[in-house]
Amino acid sequence: MKMKRLAALLLAGVLIFTLGACKGKDKGGDSSSEQEVEKDPNYPVSIGDIKIAQRPEQVVSLSPALTEMICELGGEDRLSGVSDFCDYPDMVQDFTRCGTPQLPNLNEIKKISPQVVFASSTFSQEDTVRLQQMGAEVVVLPHADSLDSLEEIYITIAMVLDGNLSGKQNGQAVFAPLRKQYDALVSAAGGIEKPVSGIYLRMVPMTMATGDTFEGELMQSIGIQNDAADFSGWIYPADKAVDLYPDVIFYDKSIDPQYLKDNKVYNTTDAVKNSRCYEIDATAFERQSGRMFDELTEMFKAVYPDVEIASGAGNESSAAENPEQDTSSLSGVIEEPK
């Protein structure tokens, strides 16, 4: 009897163990399945050696250019600190000032406790380490040198803010109309039989967009032959000034137009003689944000007011309806004040 009772107990134990193991296996399978379903497809995001583990709720931008792009991408609600030089859009005027990459205000950044710090230039090794010790990933995105690299910057920022899938989709969606606007200008320029020559004067006396600059490339792409295309580094050689004879001059708003009238290098050119000198906002090009494409559109309209621009290039409809009306924000330098 004792042997039978012992055998029964052992059999019961085996059954309990087997059933428990089966349930455990089923439960484990469900758990694994749940984990797969719950896995976030957006994070982590890898940017080179940097890994963003989750969606950042607080970010700092120490680049005026990246600040504008962050706001264009809808990330202004998480932008808690900006550089000392960020001034656009207007909402950032009231944000905490956090210095520059060369001299970051680490105390203010620490108060914000951001998960990400954006910059267009590198920090010192010491400052990078201190930011990382605060729990911030440092994302450095240098200025673009082409339209494709600019699109990549937009998408990279968007992915940091909203992840691999959602962020990429947002970045592409925001940049798409900018590329369309640019493509419309290039297409319109392609139909111009006799392009004019011009220069993009950033600073006096002869700091201008040369052939190796993004600004020079953009000017060429909209049908303006760059008179400084053979040179580099924003330097037009003084000994070549006699050869500088543009049909149009784009000059930064920081330059007094009277300078062009009085300077012997410029006042003999057709650009000055024919009142074809136009003020532009160079910071729009330096920031490389959406404003740059609007400025480029106005440059095209100023030079080619009678050329129709296909849909996609800003406010081209009003110019097309009344080509004799100057809708451009660019002003001729020789025009007398009314």
Side-chain angles (χ1 to χ4, degrees):
M1 290 292 292
K2 290 183 178 180
M3 290 298 294
K4 289 182 179 180
R5 188 176 299 170
L6 179 60
L9 290 172
L10 288 173
L11 180 59
V14 169
L15 289 171
I16 291 171
F17 176 81
T18 303
L19 290 171
C22 290
K23 289 181 179 179
K25 184 176 181 180
D26 291 341
K27 185 177 180 180
D30 291 340
S31 176
S32 175
S33 177
E34 288 174 5
Q35 287 178 0
E36 289 180 6
V37 171
E38 292 175 359
K39 184 178 179 181
D40 187 351
N42 284 307
Y43 291 95
V45 171
S46 296
I47 309 297
D49 296 332
I50 303 299
K51 184 168 286 188
I52 314 299
Q54 58 189 11
R55 185 178 188 269
E57 297 303 325
Q58 301 284 345
V59 301
V60 166
S61 171
L62 297 188
S63 162
L66 300 184
T67 293
E68 289 195 28
M69 294 178 197
I70 289 169
C71 292
E72 286 181 52
L73 290 161
E76 66 277 2
D77 59 329
R78 287 176 280 161
L79 185 60
S80 302
V82 295
S83 81
D84 291 349
F85 299 101
C86 291
D87 56 10
Y88 191 91
D90 288 341
M91 70 178 73
V92 307
Q93 300 279 8
D94 298 327
F95 289 8
T96 301
R97 299 289 157 170
C98 298
T100 65
Q102 293 71 38
L103 194 63
N105 190 329
L106 296 173
N107 290 331
E108 291 296 338
I109 295 175
K110 187 174 182 179
K111 291 177 185 177
I112 295 171
S113 189
Q115 290 80 53
V116 176
V117 174
F118 288 99
S120 293
S121 57
T122 57
F123 295 85
S124 69
Q125 183 63 32
E126 180 182 355
D127 288 335
T128 299
V129 171
R130 292 182 67 180
L131 289 169
Q132 290 172 340
Q133 288 174 340
M134 295 178 193
E137 296 293 350
V138 179
V139 177
V140 178
L141 300 171
H143 282 67
D145 58 5
S146 68
L147 197 67
D148 287 341
S149 60
L150 181 57
E151 181 177 21
E152 186 176 344
I153 290 173
Y154 269 82
I155 291 174
T156 299
I157 296 171
M159 288 173 62
V160 170
L161 293 175
D162 292 308
N164 293 301
L165 299 181
S166 300
K168 185 175 182 179
Q169 290 173 355
N170 184 41
Q172 291 172 332
V174 169
F175 194 79
L178 302 181
R179 183 178 285 276
K180 182 179 180 181
Q181 185 174 352
Y182 173 79
D183 288 343
L185 293 173
V186 173
S187 178
I192 296 171
E193 294 183 3
K194 190 178 179 181
V196 302
S197 65
I199 61 171
Y200 174 117
L201 187 62
R202 180 63 183 87
M203 291 189 297
V204 296
M206 301 180 72
T207 299
M208 61 187 73
T210 45
D212 61 334
T213 64
F214 191 20
E215 287 85 346
E217 178 186 330
L218 290 172
M219 192 164 65
Q220 291 269 169
S221 69
I222 64 168
I224 302 169
Q225 295 177 348
N226 186 5
D227 270 11
D230 292 337
F231 306 102
S232 60
W234 288 90
I235 299 173
Y236 192 100
D239 60 350
K240 299 289 184 180
V242 67
D243 300 325
L244 191 62
Y245 204 71
D247 297 319
V248 298
I249 295 175
F250 296 106
Y251 64 97
D252 180 55
K253 63 182 182 179
S254 64
I255 299 171
D256 184 349
Q258 187 64 40
Y259 175 86
L260 300 177
K261 300 177 190 178
D262 296 339
N263 186 274
K264 290 186 294 184
V265 172
Y266 300 108
N267 62 16
T268 57
T269 67
D270 283 346
V272 173
K273 289 179 180 179
N274 299 327
S275 301
R276 302 198 73 187
C277 301
Y278 306 101
E279 179 184 287
I280 61 173
D281 183 359
T283 60
F285 288 91
E286 290 160 7
R287 303 284 176 87
Q288 300 186 335
S289 62
R291 290 194 296 148
M292 178 178 74
F293 296 87
D294 292 335
E295 198 76 10
L296 197 65
T297 299
E298 295 304 325
M299 289 169 65
F300 183 90
K301 290 179 183 179
V303 178
Y304 301 114
D306 298 324
V307 177
E308 184 177 354
I309 306 170
S311 176
N315 299 320
E316 72 287 342
S317 57
S318 59
E321 291 170 3
N322 189 359
E324 294 182 359
Q325 180 182 0
D326 183 12
T327 60
S328 173
S329 63
L330 310 180
S331 56
V333 69
I334 306 299
E335 292 183 359
E336 296 298 329
K338 297 179 181 179

